[in-house]
Amino acid sequence: MKAKSIHYLHMYTRLAVCVIMFVSIHAHAQTDTSQYGKGLTRNMIEGGKYQGFLFTDVKGIRLQFNGYVQVDFIHDFMEMTNIHAFQPSTIPVPSSAEGNTAFSIRQSRFAFTAYGAPDARGRALKAVLEFDLWGSLSGAPRLRHAYIQHGKWTFGQYWSNFMDGDNWPNIMDYWGPNAYVWTRQVQLRFTQQLSSSMTFSVSAEQPGGDLSIPDTWSNRTIYPDVTAAFQKDFGDKNESHVRLAGLLHPMDYKNGDKEKKTSIGGAFNLSGNINVQKDNDIKFQFAYGSGYAKYSEDISGEGYDAYGGVNDKSVKNISMLATWLYYDHFWTKSLGSTIGWGYLQLNTPQFSMPAVGTIKSTNYGSFNTTYYFTNYFKIAGEVLYGIRKDTDNKTGDNLRGQFSAFFKF
């Protein structure tokens, strides 16, 4: 009995020593380079530009852990299907005065980043696994990013090369401007630094069309999407940039006669972030094309890439204009505000799509004020307003108030 007690004592002692060594030796506090609260902006967060905690460094691989907890308290004054994010396409038409209150932690996320030793040619190696709690109403983990970077190459699921991942307005709402070209894609990307201030990137991204077709038709996935983008940085410390991206989006399907067909969608996306003064940023996007609703923040997955009727032999691409403009301003080191508007329009009235329930346009506007207690903790109040118009010209709208608390680690 005495030997058994000694065995357990030794086991618990080793466990305690391991925990102490893990915390005291391998855990290094993150560093933060924020100025005037800019280390906690949405742009810094989505771009992964803040460090986390390095908790192991073994055999040439450094493993880092980071993330944040965000709690949202939301009240809608009108009915909206998406109660956790402000998505204008989910506003009922006509409006209903049935409001709703929602408390949510679903924006919270965590990520693991592994840095490998450079290869024989000095090319850096990095891998990322990132999750949020958007998997269910109760907050189940959901995969966001899973990719590898080796030198100039990126393999895996990451922001599409067609979107601008470096011009996020400083908002608290998860969805963001309705017109945002915003999606994650499994892809193969090549990035070339043309100069100290200019970058070129090209990618092949996961195939698949977002089509409205009869039940007798079927989707196919054959040809990948292809994107290319140029970005020009300028200004003090290259804080400003302008980016032009292009997209070719093949949509493969079988029609009612079982004929295999492909329709090619295409679009351009002009975007940027202009630092006009130390504490002022103008962020914008202007995208136009046809057959690219798959890349839309507001209407992706709703079948607005292209439309095919029962008597048609092929689909017709749906044109879309997607534009937004936002202004970020810091009043003091600890206080900032963001205001802006987004507009999305589809050419659906030109097709024989149902007049009731088919979107013609959506609008999204928001204003917030954020207070930064430290470089890691902030709170914000945000007011949002959205409008949905269908092809029968009937509209619905919603006004939302949101209060959020945010802590990064």
Side-chain angles (χ1 to χ4, degrees):
M1 183 71 177
K2 183 177 180 180
K4 188 173 182 180
S5 298
I6 293 174
H7 169 75
Y8 281 117
L9 177 62
H10 287 169
M11 182 180 70
Y12 291 135
T13 300
R14 287 196 297 270
L15 179 60
V17 170
C18 289
V19 171
I20 293 171
M21 290 180 65
F22 179 83
V23 173
S24 63
I25 297 177
H26 294 295
H28 302 278
Q30 64 179 330
T31 59
D32 194 286
T33 59
S34 65
Q35 294 180 348
Y36 300 96
K38 290 189 176 181
L40 275 187
T41 62
R42 183 72 177 267
N43 204 48
M44 293 287 289
I45 293 161
E46 297 294 354
K49 297 176 183 177
Y50 65 90
Q51 298 178 1
F53 296 89
L54 178 67
F55 63 85
T56 186
D57 191 347
V58 180
K59 296 182 180 180
I61 297 178
R62 296 180 293 116
L63 189 60
Q64 176 181 287
F65 176 71
N66 60 43
Y68 64 82
V69 175
Q70 179 168 332
V71 185
D72 299 321
F73 304 92
I74 298 168
H75 180 72
D76 289 311
F77 290 87
M78 308 290 281
E79 185 180 2
M80 194 171 200
T81 303
N82 192 339
I83 63 173
H84 294 101
F86 199 74
Q87 186 179 3
S89 63
T90 68
I91 297 174
V93 177
S95 299
S96 168
E98 297 181 7
N100 183 77
T101 298
F103 290 2
S104 174
I105 47 80
R106 297 177 71 189
Q107 289 206 57
S108 304
R109 71 180 67 159
F110 57 93
F112 299 92
T113 305
Y115 298 91
D119 63 14
R121 296 176 60 182
R123 293 172 295 194
L125 185 61
K126 171 185 174 182
V128 174
L129 274 174
E130 182 178 87
F131 302 83
D132 62 17
L133 302 185
W134 211 261
S136 70
L137 291 178
S138 60
R142 179 195 65 160
L143 179 66
R144 283 173 54 86
H145 294 143
Y147 64 91
I148 301 167
Q149 287 183 340
H150 181 218
K152 300 175 182 179
W153 293 91
T154 300
F155 315 85
Q157 181 167 299
Y158 187 54
W159 299 123
S160 168
N161 188 47
F162 185 56
M163 69 171 279
D164 189 339
D166 199 27
N167 74 332
W168 289 85
N170 194 24
I171 57 178
M172 299 303 294
D173 170 46
Y174 175 76
W175 230 246
N178 62 321
Y180 213 152
V181 172
W182 176 28
T183 186
R184 291 175 288 271
Q185 296 267 74
V186 180
Q187 62 191 271
L188 171 62
R189 184 190 300 191
F190 176 78
T191 303
Q192 177 65 51
Q193 193 76 32
L194 301 177
S195 68
S196 60
S197 62
M198 183 170 289
T199 306
F200 170 74
S201 54
V202 61
S203 69
E205 305 188 1
Q206 66 188 58
D210 187 11
L211 309 177
S212 288
I213 52 178
D215 293 337
T216 55
W217 298 30
S218 60
N219 278 295
R220 303 170 70 230
T221 54
I222 304 298
Y223 303 107
D225 295 356
V226 177
T227 76
F230 286 94
Q231 179 165 318
K232 172 64 177 178
D233 301 325
F234 59 94
D236 185 31
K237 298 180 182 179
N238 281 339
E239 289 186 352
S240 301
H241 76 268
V242 174
R243 190 174 192 271
L244 179 62
L247 166 71
L248 287 179
H249 174 37
M251 296 168 282
D252 308 294
Y253 61 95
K254 285 184 180 179
N255 64 17
D257 296 330
K258 305 305 178 184
E259 297 173 323
K260 298 177 182 178
K261 296 203 170 188
T262 299
S263 179
I264 305 295
F268 73 88
N269 182 15
L270 178 64
S271 59
N273 177 26
I274 311 298
N275 182 241
V276 292
Q277 291 180 351
K278 183 178 181 180
D279 301 325
N280 299 272
D281 290 283
I282 296 174
K283 300 175 180 182
F284 67 91
Q285 173 199 287
F286 184 90
Y288 184 77
S290 66
Y292 75 107
K294 168 185 174 181
Y295 290 80
S296 166
E297 175 275 341
D298 192 20
I299 59 174
S300 176
E302 298 299 318
Y304 286 104
D305 271 354
Y307 172 78
V310 175
N311 298 320
D312 294 332
K313 298 296 182 181
S314 59
V315 298
K316 297 180 180 66
N317 294 351
I318 299 173
S319 297
M320 181 173 75
L321 167 67
T323 185
W324 57 264
L325 177 67
Y326 263 79
Y327 176 64
D328 293 343
H329 175 70
F330 282 87
W331 304 98
T332 69
K333 180 178 180 179
S334 301
L335 187 67
S337 293
T338 295
I339 188 170
W341 193 270
Y343 177 69
L344 182 148
Q345 182 176 0
L346 299 165
N347 72 331
T348 47
Q350 299 180 19
F351 299 97
S352 57
M353 301 176 74
V356 177
T358 298
I359 295 174
K360 180 179 180 180
S361 65
T362 64
N363 287 262
Y364 175 111
S366 68
F367 171 78
N368 70 34
T369 296
T370 305
Y371 186 79
Y372 303 83
F373 287 90
T374 71
N375 291 336
Y376 310 103
F377 176 57
K378 66 180 179 180
I379 61 172
E382 190 163 75
V383 177
L384 306 104
Y385 180 69
I387 306 171
R388 168 178 167 165
K389 177 184 284 189
D390 287 351
T391 53
D392 59 3
N393 289 321
K394 293 182 179 179
T395 63
D397 65 346
N398 182 36
L399 177 67
R400 170 176 291 186
Q402 177 172 327
F403 174 79
S404 300
F406 175 102
F407 180 87
K408 79 166 186 177
F409 51 85

